[in-house]
Amino acid sequence: MTETEATRERILDAAEELFYGQGIQTVGMDAVRSASGVTLRRLYQVFPSKGALVEAYLLRRDERWRKSLASCVEKSDAPPAERVLVVFDWLRDWFTEPDFRGCAFVNAFGELGATAPEVAEAARRHKEAFRRYLAGLVDDAGAPGGLATPLALLAEGAITTAALTGSPLPAHAAREAARLLLAAAIDEDGRAVAQAGPPR
Amino acid sequence: MTETEATRERILDAAEELFYGQGIQTVGMDAVRSASGVTLRRLYQVFPSKGALVEAYLLRRDERWRKSLASCVEKSDAPPAERVLVVFDWLRDWFTEPDFRGCAFVNAFGELGATAPEVAEAARRHKEAFRRYLAGLVDDAGAPGGLATPLALLAEGAITTAALTGSPLPAHAAREAARLLLAAAIDEDGRAVAQAGPPR
DNA sequence: ACGGAGCGAGAACGCTCGTTCTCACTCGGC
DNA sequence: GCCGAGTGAGAACGAGCGTTCTCGCTCCGT
């Protein structure tokens, strides 16, 4: 049992690096096979089709990504009011990773969202989970819940822009904008912020 | 001369609808051919390769998109201080178009950015042009130039989020956040905003 | 009237992809 | 010791891709 689990991980490791780094359609099953050092038959034994492998790739990446973010925020000793900003610091760190290439889900959606509903659904779920996590932090900070969506938009924009420009600076700009929004919301409390739009 | 120009446009019309709607790799040259009603030989006469067609598609879309935005802002009778916000109204309108599927350049980048440098370059140029346009509006509004980048991030995040969720609401949330940022920047003027990050 | 350049329609080519099959071999239970 | 189930390595298959070629035909200058 742990044997097939190990090969499963090896396959997913290889698939993640290839799919994320080069795009899903660009990478053939044979590339996954040779990168994972597994035989083609075993590959199809564990994942009965490329679609299944793609789904597993996205699922695992979603969990990894969110766990990494959460544990970073948890480890930080920032007061609750500033924990939201730690998210943007974490983004900056992510952006500076050498193989950063934007959001795997946005990329997958652009590539396959129109033809593969499961991919579109996985992307939606990922973004929705992130937004909810952000909403929790906003709530802990005592800020109005309506802030979660604009903060998510800033993060989203930063991810895409960092990918396109190859620079981590968008994380900084997004962080400062987030700080301003939080400050404005807490200062004037419920007033200006009640107009900041419905939860979504 | 105008004859080949007309077929060129017909090809590009078909290519744009297909590439944007389904993704670039998904759409074969044969699909472009039959959608444009042009013979395969003519297609390759006008665009010597699929890569050339993709480049032309992105170039024309960039021009169209920016021209549409600019003419919308120009036509609006909003005072300079609020013209920036018109951008987000225009985004909302775009998001509600029935075949809206996010930013063509972000999608193309996710699909081909890692393997096709021209695509990556086109996406970069498109985003940079948008950011510069926004910077012009920010300047006209008398707001500090450092605002252009966070506003661009909001717009970018709204585009992606609207595509994923299929809802135009992110445009509204981004607009309100932009309004708050502008108000905060103009109120406190150069103070809080000088920290809003370098131009990029 | 005629020769040839250009055209439309689609077959053809070479390649790659996702997936399956072959086949020699290994190895654990009777 | 042996049989059969399962393995590894890779060939094979059918489909689809981007691109080019073939082949009648048309149409224009002389």
Side-chain angles (χ1 to χ4, degrees):
Chain A
M1 275 307 154
T2 214
E3 173 60 35
T4 69
E5 288 243 347
T7 69
R8 205 187 125 94
E9 289 299 299
R10 272 175 56 198
I11 293 171
L12 281 175
D13 286 345
E16 180 161 3
E17 182 169 340
L18 291 170
F19 286 159
Y20 179 68
Q22 314 182 28
I24 293 171
Q25 309 217 63
T26 304
V27 172
M29 291 297 266
D30 213 63
V32 174
R33 182 207 61 128
S34 67
S36 63
V38 122
T39 176
L40 208 53
R41 180 212 284 251
R42 267 218 182 290
L43 211 176
Y44 276 93
Q45 230 163 266
V46 181
F47 300 101
S49 72
K50 187 178 183 181
L53 177 57
V54 169
E55 260 183 278
Y57 148 61
L58 291 176
L59 188 75
R60 198 183 67 153
R61 187 163 176 106
D62 170 55
E63 283 166 1
R64 269 234 256 265
W65 190 88
R66 283 172 29 225
K67 228 170 269 179
S68 166
L69 169 59
S71 92
C72 169
V73 170
E74 217 153 315
K75 268 203 274 288
S76 103
D77 49 359
E82 288 169 22
R83 292 181 122 208
V84 185
L85 299 180
V86 176
V87 171
F88 294 91
D89 296 332
W90 180 82
L91 284 180
R92 192 228 311 116
D93 289 349
W94 181 31
F95 296 169
T96 45
E97 284 176 19
D99 53 358
F100 171 73
R101 228 179 67 79
C103 174
F105 297 85
V106 171
N107 292 347
F109 181 85
E111 205 173 345
L112 300 168
T115 53
E118 329 82 51
V119 170
E121 250 309 290
R124 259 189 290 276
R125 273 201 295 268
H126 173 71
K127 293 304 181 192
E128 176 58 19
F130 174 59
R131 212 197 62 85
R132 276 224 285 273
Y133 177 70
L134 224 49
L137 293 182
V138 165
D139 193 53
D140 294 350
L147 266 187
T149 294
L151 294 185
L153 295 183
L154 280 171
E156 192 60 51
I159 295 171
T160 302
T161 305
L164 277 171
T165 64
S167 152
L169 287 174
H172 182 235
R175 191 195 136 105
E176 291 308 312
R179 208 171 50 74
L180 282 178
L181 288 179
L182 280 166
I186 289 172
D187 273 11
E188 332 182 359
D189 220 279
R191 204 213 99 240
V193 174
Q195 309 171 14
R200 204 160 59 86
Chain B
M1 274 307 154
T2 213
E3 173 58 36
T4 69
E5 287 242 347
T7 69
R8 206 187 125 94
E9 289 300 299
R10 272 175 56 198
I11 294 170
L12 282 175
D13 286 345
E16 180 162 1
E17 181 169 342
L18 292 170
F19 286 160
Y20 179 68
Q22 315 183 26
I24 293 171
Q25 309 217 66
T26 303
V27 172
M29 290 298 265
D30 214 62
V32 174
R33 182 207 61 128
S34 66
S36 63
V38 121
T39 177
L40 209 54
R41 181 214 283 247
R42 267 218 184 288
L43 210 176
Y44 275 94
Q45 228 163 267
V46 181
F47 300 101
S49 73
K50 187 178 184 180
L53 176 58
V54 169
E55 260 183 278
Y57 148 61
L58 291 176
L59 188 75
R60 198 184 68 152
R61 187 165 175 104
D62 169 56
E63 284 167 1
R64 269 233 255 264
W65 190 90
R66 282 173 28 227
K67 227 170 270 178
S68 165
L69 169 59
S71 91
C72 170
V73 170
E74 217 154 314
K75 269 204 273 289
S76 103
D77 50 358
E82 287 169 21
R83 293 181 120 207
V84 185
L85 299 180
V86 176
V87 171
F88 294 90
D89 296 332
W90 181 82
L91 284 179
R92 193 228 311 117
D93 290 348
W94 180 31
F95 296 169
T96 46
E97 283 176 20
D99 53 358
F100 170 73
R101 229 179 66 80
C103 175
F105 296 86
V106 171
N107 292 348
F109 181 85
E111 205 174 344
L112 301 167
T115 52
E118 330 82 52
V119 170
E121 251 308 291
R124 259 189 291 274
R125 273 202 296 268
H126 173 73
K127 294 304 180 192
E128 176 58 19
F130 174 59
R131 211 196 63 85
R132 275 223 287 271
Y133 177 69
L134 224 50
L137 293 183
V138 165
D139 193 53
D140 294 350
L147 266 187
T149 294
L151 294 185
L153 296 184
L154 281 170
E156 192 61 52
I159 296 171
T160 302
T161 305
L164 277 170
T165 64
S167 152
L169 287 173
H172 183 236
R175 192 196 135 104
E176 291 308 311
R179 208 171 51 75
L180 282 177
L181 288 179
L182 279 165
I186 289 173
D187 272 11
E188 330 183 2
D189 220 282
R191 203 210 102 243
V193 174
Q195 310 172 12
R200 208 161 58 90

